[in-house]
Amino acid sequence: MRGGFLGVAVATAAAAVFTLLLNSAVFRGSTTQEQQAAFNLFWYGALIVSFGVFLPLEQVVSRAATEGRLRGAAVLRPALVLVAVAVGGVLLASPLLGDDPGTRAWVVTALVALAGVSALQYAARGLALGRGRLGPYAGALAADAGLRGTAALLATVLVFQPPAWLFASFVVASALAAHVALLLLVRRPRSSRGGAGDPVPAELHDAGDLGLARGPRRPEGAPSSRTMTRAVLTLLAASVAGQLLLNAGPIVVGLEPGGPAVLAAYGAAFTLARAPLFVVVPAQAVLVPPLTRMVAEGRLHELRVRMAHFSAAVVVLAAVGAGAGALLSDLAMEVFTAGKLEVPPGLMALMVGGCLVHAGLVVGTQALVATGRERAVLTCWVAGLVAAAAWIALTQLVVGTGAAWSVAGGFTAGSAVAWLLSVLVLVQRPRRAVAVSA
């Protein structure tokens, strides 16, 4: 199992590199600033639609898969409910997705298509986790990012100024291809022999520690579609709040009258600043099992001490990262965008510091899940989102700060508030997590 976790870590690191390659292909002269801005709208909308809405499906499916037999019909209902939620959200938000009707049309179309693909993507990933198939899981993460990054690089070589919708099509197609392959690999019954294919123990899965359903474990291990749908909706609010805090900023910046140039520069800088999150965020579903194991073994004090040390490290890393961001801002933007876009060093420092604090928040909330404090997870994310919105409103409406500075400050402030709240809750005397059935 340790080797499986190492494989996931390597895969997420590789995925981060290919994700930067994709974005670099967009920004390094392959499109106009208008097209760069349009891709930003799609990219950050895609992160909210895909990861924000469908992560709960991965969590619940992984729990059900370890509990026993997982019936396909039971997965279909929650998957369709989430598709409806995602598509409805895209349609409601469509007025914010570009001023040009043509841009808005392809962005909305791509996001709707991605919603359908994401249902398959996260169900397959949940099945892989539930059956302990961390190798194929890691392979899908790397293949998804690798396919879209390689395709984007080839497009910049073979096509003169490829349109933004072409890069968006790579994102949708790579997710579909990688996770159809993953589903084919893991849908077969697991081997009875020990090894990498053994499932993770049921009590170590995050969905089970979130209070999704109370009562004795079902001997047949076949949760109903209604039970799984309730479980998914329980987790949805926290997931969406977290993704809005992380990814809604560039969409807000795009509303400023400054035009595509402001959004393109902000998007490029934020993509660089959030590089650590490309590793932490996709792998967060894998963080909970070892933390939950500590709780199950009665090592609550050890968990709290380790998280206290981690919190101190977050403060130091955020300060150092902010300084490095300011010093290396010009060089990084020169390399990443071929010198066509730039941001002030102070703005880059604010983004880098905020992203490192956000990484601490992601890990901290997983520790809360491990200690059974599921309501606190939602409280932390909502508090951070409210704090970010309040900061943006105050600085723009009262102080008159520009949108880029206001949004970056709101993201950093919101992440800090949510992270500090998670630390305060965690250092309280935690109650023992109770293994429950999905």
Side-chain angles (χ1 to χ4, degrees), residues 240-326:
V240 171
Q243 289 304 303
L244 286 175
L245 175 60
L246 178 59
N247 296 307
I251 297 176
V252 176
V253 172
L255 301 177
E256 190 179 45
V262 175
L263 176 55
Y266 185 94
F270 193 58
T271 298
L272 285 171
R274 65 181 289 172
L277 295 177
F278 292 146
V279 176
V280 175
V281 172
Q284 64 178 290
V286 187
L287 296 176
V288 174
L291 297 178
T292 311
R293 183 180 297 112
M294 297 177 68
V295 176
E297 295 173 352
R299 298 154 59 197
L300 299 176
H301 178 70
E302 180 182 348
L303 173 61
R304 296 168 66 192
V305 169
R306 287 192 179 187
M307 293 307 299
H309 292 164
F310 174 78
S311 299
V314 168
V315 174
V316 174
L317 286 174
V320 173

Side-chain angles (χ1 to χ4, degrees), residues 63 200-206 209 288-290 292-294 296:
R63 175 66 183 189
V200 179
E203 66 270 20
L204 303 184
H205 273 271
D206 46 345
D209 290 317
V288 174
T292 311
R293 183 180 297 112
M294 297 177 68

Side-chain angles (χ1 to χ4, degrees), residues 131-161:
R131 291 185 171 175
R133 303 292 300 276
L134 295 185
Y137 180 91
L141 291 179
D144 184 5
L147 287 172
R148 67 184 181 230
T150 302
L153 181 61
L154 290 175
T156 61
V157 174
L158 301 176
V159 182
F160 176 71
Q161 289 192 339

Side-chain angles (χ1 to χ4, degrees), residues 318-379:
V320 173
L327 291 174
L328 300 176
S329 174
D330 293 339
L331 176 62
M333 291 293 287
E334 172 72 27
V335 172
F336 193 59
T337 69
K340 296 186 176 183
L341 300 171
E342 61 181 20
V343 296
L347 181 59
M348 180 67 84
L350 188 59
M351 290 181 181
V352 173
C355 286
L356 290 171
V357 170
H358 195 89
L361 168 61
V362 170
V363 177
T365 52
Q366 303 314 300
L368 289 178
V369 169
T371 59
R373 296 169 183 250
E374 64 278 358
R375 293 183 181 178
V377 175
L378 176 59
T379 300

Side-chain angles (χ1 to χ4, degrees), residues 41-195:
L41 289 173
F42 164 76
W43 179 248
Y44 289 100
L47 293 172
I48 296 172
V49 168
S50 181
F51 198 86
V53 175
F54 289 92
L55 176 63
L57 185 63
E58 178 181 343
Q59 295 173 317
V60 172
V61 169
S62 68
R63 175 66 183 189
T66 53
E67 289 279 324
R69 299 186 307 273
L70 179 63
R71 296 180 294 114
V75 179
L76 184 60
R77 178 175 176 175
L80 291 177
V81 168
L82 290 183
V83 169
V85 170
V87 171
V90 170
L91 295 179
L92 286 175
S94 60
L96 306 178
L97 301 177
D99 296 327
D100 176 65
T103 296
R104 188 183 307 118
W106 76 253
V107 170
V108 169
T109 300
L111 291 177
V112 168
L114 184 64
V117 171
S118 295
L120 168 68
Q121 175 182 357
Y122 287 90
R125 287 170 56 166
L127 182 60
L129 283 179
R131 291 185 171 175
R133 303 292 300 276
L134 295 185
Y137 180 91
L141 291 179
D144 184 5
L147 287 172
R148 67 184 181 230
T150 302
L153 181 61
L154 290 175
T156 61
V157 174
L158 301 176
V159 182
F160 176 71
Q161 289 192 339
W165 62 260
L166 183 61
F167 294 106
S169 69
F170 295 154
V171 174
V172 178
S174 66
L176 178 61
H179 292 90
V180 165
L182 176 63
L183 185 61
L184 292 176
L185 283 173
V186 302
R187 67 187 297 268
R188 294 171 297 182
R190 59 178 177 263
S191 171
S192 60
R193 296 175 299 174

